[in-house]
Amino acid sequence: MCILQRLRKDLCLVLCLGHIFRGDAYCFVSHSEDVPFPNNILLVPCPSKHPSLPPTPQPTVSQSPTPSCYDNRIFITKRKNFGSITCAIINNINNPNGAKKIRICEQVVLFDGIEQPIKTWCPVSCGHDCAPSQLPTRLTTAPSPGPTPACHDVGNFVTKVTLGSAAAKRTTCKSLRTLGKNKKSRRDRICGLDVLFENMTRPVKMWCPQACGYDCDSHSSASPSYDPSSIPSKSDGPSSLPSFSPSNEPSTMPSNRPTFRCNVEPQVRSNEISEYISSKITNTTTLEDDSSPESAALNWIIADDGRYLCSGDDHLIQRYVSALFYFAAGGPAWIKSDGFLSSDDECKWSGIECNMGGNIEELNLDDNNLKGTLPPELYHLEDLTTLNFDGTKNSLSGTIPNTFGNLLNLLTIDLDKNNLEGTLPASIFALKKLEVLDIDSNLFSGTLSAAIGNLTSLISIQLHNNRFTGTVPLEVRNLVDLSTFTIYDNEFTGSIQDDICDLEIDSLVADCAGQPPKISCDCCIKCFPDF
């Protein structure tokens, strides 16, 4: 390898490479200070190694195209029906009328972070006379709105991602664009994943901003930079060996051994959280249903939650369950949702109260335009004492999940004035600490189980304005602290027995009016429908 010093203004540097190609040593010749690197590099024979070869040709610049127009020797792209395209390939196209070459040269392609016609990358091969102002320049800032011209999908991006327990799948920007609307949740989860590509760890959405609908103009400081910061500078003296290709990497390079939050790569963290949630809380089938609130909550935890919890975090479960309730009960339409889905501790989210240990103790979201269903996963809030979702502005539907029987610390169930239906789950009657059962003005049906006598801590039972049938069980007499018992506007029959009357309940109201009354009651303070 040899280095020749600057000979004159238009011949800056000759570098002889040590390898032999077809018997000749070849040189890269850097010429003309006005031409940016690497377009100022030409490949010529090295005479110093082979005296028999003709003298090294002095680089000359054609006057048409203009002196500043040179083919970009690292340019390469792929186009449908043409395959791989480089400037050299275009130069070798030889058809009589030139139609094919013109068609290729006019194609607009994405290369090096910008979109330009091929002729601007290969002006000599395309016969394109470009002025300096027309040469492609890399954009370091992008105009708005987005996605902006510099905000393009990286064509060669490819990675493998795993969602839940599913097998790893090959993912590209193109494959993300093909996901339909019903797969939006899955696409959002993938777009939020941090992946390692070209020695950089970035969220997928930064590699595929168009496919992910990500406006990298408003996040330009976090986006991969396409501004080459390592192009060799020119000097008047001898030069050390330069790099023969400009860097497309950001000006701040990560170390060879990147460090990650949670001490694992983002994809590993994603898998660990998915596996933990699927094994402890929500089944895999539900999580893989992109339309489910469970899937939306998991996606938020993995990809969008600013707290970036690790799989072993003590509050991972309650944060997931809190986000799940938000999605299940129509959170975006709530009257008050301050803090929900923010990076704040979930104990600071509107309507959530926590105990000294930071565990959720109360959910108070009455009159808040709740619409949707009660997720069974709420039972994982083991310290929960109050479940208050009542109010005329709420309209929860579905049934009371059987899993609520696991909320052994529950003191209050307040679900009145919703659209809940079905029978009371048997598990409810295992809540020995329950003091208030307020479920009036819904669509509940079936009979009142004799097991209600097990709830000896009950102070108030409000069942009115539902569709209950059968008789009032004698076991109510076990509820010695009962002060409110309203069962009117139902289909109960029979009588309120004397043992229940002996409790001297302060507010006992039943369907004891009318001729004949639905129910006989000698101790009711009010009879429906007389009041």
Side-chain angles (χ1 to χ4, degrees):
M1 182 174 289
C2 57
I3 301 175
L4 302 184
Q5 295 184 6
R6 182 185 184 93
L7 300 179
R8 52 183 176 275
K9 184 176 181 179
D10 63 343
L11 185 59
C12 300
L13 180 67
V14 178
L15 303 176
C16 294
L17 303 185
H19 72 275
I20 305 300
F21 181 72
R22 285 189 287 183
D24 299 326
Y26 278 75
C27 299
F28 280 101
V29 180
S30 176
H31 62 91
S32 183
E33 291 179 329
D34 298 326
V35 181
F37 182 90
N39 293 335
N40 60 350
I41 299 297
L42 295 179
L43 189 64
V44 299
C46 258
S48 60
K49 293 287 185 179
H50 297 274
S52 60
L53 294 176
T56 303
Q58 177 179 327
T60 59
V61 179
S62 170
Q63 295 304 311
S64 180
T66 54
S68 59
C69 281
Y70 292 92
D71 285 353
N72 187 318
R73 295 178 182 268
I74 65 170
F75 170 77
I76 186 170
T77 187
K78 286 188 177 183
R79 302 301 295 169
K80 187 177 181 181
N81 300 327
F82 295 126
S84 296
I85 296 176
T86 64
C87 296
I89 290 175
I90 295 174
N91 189 55
N92 290 330
I93 294 176
N94 184 21
N95 59 324
N97 55 16
K100 181 177 180 180
K101 179 181 288 190
I102 293 173
R103 193 162 63 251
I104 294 175
C105 290
E106 294 296 331
Q107 289 281 325
V108 176
V109 298
L110 176 66
F111 177 70
D112 210 11
I114 59 172
E115 281 186 324
Q116 294 283 356
I118 290 176
K119 64 185 180 183
T120 59
W121 300 110
C122 307
V124 175
S125 297
C126 289
H128 175 61
D129 188 4
C130 56
S133 61
Q134 294 175 302
L135 288 172
T137 56
R138 296 178 186 174
L139 300 178
T140 56
T141 58
S144 59
T148 54
C151 198
H152 292 287
D153 291 349
V154 176
N156 65 334
F157 171 76
V158 63
T159 188
K160 283 191 175 183
V161 299
T162 304
L163 297 180
S165 59
K169 291 185 178 180
R170 184 178 184 271
T171 298
T172 64
C173 298
K174 182 177 181 180
S175 69
L176 289 173
R177 288 194 294 269
T178 61
L179 292 177
K181 292 183 178 179
N182 60 330
K183 300 291 185 182
K184 182 179 183 299
S185 177
R186 177 174 296 180
R187 185 193 68 191
D188 291 345
R189 286 171 62 186
I190 294 173
C191 289
L193 293 176
D194 287 337
V195 298
L196 182 64
F197 178 68
E198 290 189 350
N199 294 323
M200 291 183 285
T201 299
R202 296 285 189 272
V204 171
K205 62 187 176 185
M206 290 188 181
W207 299 112
C208 306
Q210 292 173 306
C212 292
Y214 175 70
D215 183 3
C216 48
D217 175 51
S218 60
H219 303 82
S220 57
S221 62
S223 301
S225 170
Y226 290 100
D227 182 27
S229 58
S230 57
I231 296 178
S233 59
K234 294 180 174 64
S235 63
D236 292 330
S239 172
S240 60
L241 291 177
S243 166
F244 289 107
S245 61
S247 171
N248 287 333
E249 297 172 348
S251 55
T252 303
M253 288 295 296
S255 63
N256 290 332
R257 298 179 60 84
T259 57
F260 303 100
R261 294 169 67 180
C262 299
N263 296 321
V264 294
E265 291 187 12
Q267 182 63 56
V268 175
R269 168 185 172 269
S270 172
N271 295 342
E272 289 179 348
I273 291 177
S274 298
E275 290 170 4
Y276 184 78
I277 296 296
S278 63
S279 64
K280 300 288 186 181
I281 308 176
T282 305
N283 64 71
T284 302
T285 301
T286 302
L287 290 174
E288 291 181 348
D289 178 2
D290 290 340
S291 64
S292 72
E294 288 84 358
S295 178
L298 178 61
N299 174 57
W300 178 78
I301 285 287
I302 291 174
D304 298 321
D305 184 8
R307 292 185 80 82
Y308 202 84
L309 298 186
C310 306
S311 61
D313 194 285
D314 291 341
H315 284 179
L316 174 63
I317 290 179
Q318 78 168 18
R319 195 163 178 85
Y320 164 75
V321 171
S322 301
L324 168 56
F325 181 72
Y326 175 85
F327 288 111
W334 288 356
I335 296 171
K336 191 174 182 180
S337 60
D338 299 346
F340 268 87
L341 302 191
S342 73
S343 59
D344 291 341
D345 189 301
E346 59 275 11
C347 293
K348 297 181 180 180
W349 295 359
S350 178
I352 294 180
E353 299 290 337
C354 294
N355 56 27
M356 294 297 292
N359 298 322
I360 294 178
E361 203 170 46
E362 296 184 16
L363 293 177
N364 292 302
L365 292 162
D366 56 314
D367 283 317
N368 200 38
N369 199 35
L370 306 185
K371 294 181 180 180
T373 58
L374 295 169
E377 290 88 349
L378 284 173
Y379 88 89
H380 286 281
L381 304 179
E382 296 177 354
D383 289 359
L384 195 65
T385 63
T386 301
L387 199 63
N388 180 11
F389 302 148
D390 74 340
T392 55
K393 294 180 180 179
N394 289 342
S395 56
L396 292 170
S397 57
T399 62
I400 295 179
N402 190 58
T403 56
F404 279 20
N406 294 317
L407 292 167
L408 300 179
N409 291 305
L410 207 55
L411 302 177
T412 299
I413 296 178
D414 194 355
L415 300 173
D416 64 275
K417 300 180 181 66
N418 280 282
N419 294 316
L420 297 167
E421 58 186 357
T423 60
L424 294 181
S427 62
I428 290 293
F429 302 114
L431 302 178
K432 298 294 183 66
K433 296 182 180 180
L434 192 65
E435 297 177 351
V436 176
L437 180 60
D438 186 359
I439 58 172
D440 67 86
S441 305
N442 280 283
L443 303 172
F444 291 113
S445 59
T447 61
L448 183 59
S449 172
I452 196 168
N454 298 330
L455 306 182
T456 54
S457 297
L458 275 173
I459 299 172
S460 174
I461 303 175
Q462 297 184 70
L463 307 180
H464 59 272
N465 193 20
N466 277 288
R467 299 173 180 176
F468 288 110
T469 59
T471 60
V472 178
L474 178 61
E475 286 75 10
V476 172
R477 66 184 178 181
N478 298 334
L479 311 181
V480 294
D481 293 325
L482 195 62
S483 63
T484 299
F485 188 36
T486 59
I487 59 173
Y488 65 89
D489 199 10
N490 278 288
E491 299 301 324
F492 286 116
T493 58
S495 63
I496 303 295
Q497 300 186 43
D498 292 343
D499 286 352
I500 297 176
C501 287
D502 290 343
L503 294 174
E504 297 182 354
I505 300 171
D506 295 334
S507 180
L508 176 56
V509 185
D511 293 320
C512 49
Q515 293 297 328
K518 289 182 183 179
I519 194 168
S520 174
C521 180
D522 295 333
C523 56
C524 287
I525 63 168
K526 290 183 180 179
C527 287
F528 187 82
D530 281 355
F531 64 92

